[in-house]
Amino acid sequence: MDIEEFDWGIVVRGIPYTTLNLDKTFDCGQCFRWNKNNNGIWEGIIGDRLIRMRQAILDGESEPVLAVNVNKADWNKIYTYLDLCTDYEIRKEVYEGDSYLKSAIRNGLGIRILRQDFWEALVSFIISQRNNIPKIKSTIDKLCRAFGDKYISNENGVEYEFYSFPSAERLASATDNELRAIGLGYRAPYVLSAARAVSNGDISLAKLNDSIDVISELEELNGVGPKVANCVALFGMHKLDMFPIDIWISRIINDKYNGNLDISRFGKLAGLIQQYMFYNERFI
DNA sequence: CACCAGGCGACCC
DNA sequence: GGGTCGCATGGT
């Protein structure tokens, strides 16, 4: 990996599309605050920073370069966020004799499981229930504009305004009506009770990480069932062995595995396999 | 403009 | 315990 610094950020060479593919990663339904602008640049918010990334093959080069609007010193944060520190090699035994899985993996290579904030993931996946992805994105955007902190990022004299994801404390002090005005509908009390549970310490990342049964503990939250709990554990706690079963995955289980899929054989990287399958089902 | 969206909780037996 | 139904809302 070779990193070059420019006035607006860095260019990283040496990461092939099969290791990192931004389009697949941001489109596979794990995150809701990344959008591709007209110039092909992915824009997203990580914590209190507006991050831009672009991946492209330059003239005369065979491998893509990755451009990011951070300095060299902050590259490690992006590297971690993109989970490039984790080895995604799936053992042969897992897909041997399973031609469907083999092609899903081939088609999905380059997807990363982002290391997202736990609280943001919890709220996002509570909101996701019975919503489609455009609706989830717009609802979360409204939530951030209404309750998040406003930031201005200044890039080469151009100012960009953006909002952070609201804290649990801030949402805990919101009213049911305020949340419904955002478009949360019947999920408003779910978000409110999660905000209270997190702000008063009933639920915390540290406690959950020590827990023997993360899914059961998450399911004690109002509005969190098996699907949301698995998504929160996978995307908000980086538990890569989780395997959320949504409508798309259950279609795959029915159509490709005759309604019977033994998830335990996927092992430690089950969640990654779930993402490969999801991407393969929706976009291939 | 119906239909449906990466569900969940309450309620039923 | 497992199956069924209502739920708010906006995107397509």
Side-chain angles (χ1 to χ4, degrees):
Chain A
M1 214 165 54
D2 170 60
I3 305 162
E4 226 178 304
E5 198 159 309
F6 288 90
D7 52 349
W8 51 269
I10 51 169
V11 163
V12 183
R13 286 188 167 75
I15 308 176
Y17 276 124
T18 49
T19 300
L20 169 67
N21 184 312
L22 291 185
D23 291 345
K24 291 181 185 177
T25 297
F26 294 138
D27 269 337
C28 68
Q30 63 177 312
C31 56
F32 306 103
R33 299 194 80 200
W34 283 94
N35 294 292
K36 202 175 192 177
N37 73 15
N38 297 332
N39 300 320
I41 300 171
W42 282 101
E43 300 176 336
I45 293 148
I46 306 176
D48 59 0
R49 295 188 64 176
L50 177 61
I51 300 296
R52 297 171 205 283
M53 294 195 217
R54 182 172 188 196
Q55 204 176 18
I57 296 181
L58 302 180
D59 285 345
E61 301 190 22
S62 54
E63 291 288 342
V65 299
L66 172 69
V68 191
N69 66 335
V70 297
N71 60 28
K72 243 180 187 174
D74 281 344
W75 163 241
N76 71 314
K77 293 178 189 164
I78 303 299
Y79 185 85
T80 302
Y81 180 77
L82 294 171
D83 201 29
L84 290 165
C85 40
T86 303
D87 180 7
Y88 278 10
E89 176 126 6
I90 291 169
R91 288 175 302 110
K92 203 176 188 173
E93 305 91 85
V94 171
Y95 56 81
E96 228 167 18
D98 185 339
S99 58
Y100 169 75
L101 177 57
K102 206 181 287 182
S103 74
I105 292 173
R106 196 171 47 239
N107 293 329
L109 281 182
I111 291 175
R112 311 300 304 180
I113 308 282
L114 302 170
R115 290 184 181 257
Q116 300 185 75
D117 176 71
F118 165 73
W119 164 243
E120 180 170 341
L122 175 59
V123 176
S124 297
F125 284 99
I126 286 175
I127 291 172
S128 79
Q129 64 174 266
R130 261 191 93 76
N131 271 155
N132 53 27
I133 291 173
K135 171 74 190 304
I136 300 165
K137 284 187 168 184
S138 91
T139 305
I140 291 173
D141 185 57
K142 287 179 197 164
L143 190 75
C144 295
R145 286 172 188 278
F147 302 103
D149 295 324
K150 184 171 171 176
Y151 287 86
I152 307 284
S153 101
N154 189 317
E155 296 175 32
N156 300 328
V158 185
E159 291 193 337
Y160 298 92
E161 174 186 309
F162 65 96
Y163 292 83
S164 63
F165 195 87
S167 67
E169 291 70 25
R170 178 65 190 91
L171 288 188
S173 73
T175 65
D176 186 74
N177 279 342
E178 283 176 322
L179 291 175
R180 282 177 194 270
I182 303 303
L184 286 180
Y186 65 89
R187 306 164 193 83
Y190 301 161
V191 170
L192 204 52
S193 67
R196 288 176 182 151
V198 169
S199 63
N200 73 19
D202 283 351
I203 292 272
S204 73
L205 184 56
K207 276 190 190 174
L208 284 168
N209 272 327
D210 287 340
S211 165
I212 298 169
D213 192 347
V214 176
I215 298 300
S216 302
E217 291 212 22
L218 284 169
E219 283 179 357
E220 284 180 23
L221 286 165
N222 225 304
V224 176
K227 156 66 170 65
V228 171
N230 270 271
C231 283
V232 173
L234 174 57
F235 303 123
M237 302 178 66
H238 208 254
K239 297 202 172 289
L240 296 183
D241 57 329
M242 297 295 158
F243 194 88
I245 297 176
D246 58 41
I247 183 69
W248 300 88
I249 298 297
S250 97
R251 269 177 213 156
I252 292 168
I253 294 175
N254 284 329
D255 298 349
K256 313 290 181 191
Y257 296 97
N258 294 319
N260 194 349
L261 174 63
D262 175 21
I263 291 151
S264 67
R265 74 182 166 94
F266 294 157
K268 290 283 171 202
L269 292 176
L272 180 63
I273 288 173
Q274 192 268 10
Q275 289 289 277
Y276 289 156
M277 286 182 170
F278 177 78
Y279 182 83
N280 187 69
E281 186 71 8
R282 285 207 62 181
F283 298 111
I284 301 294

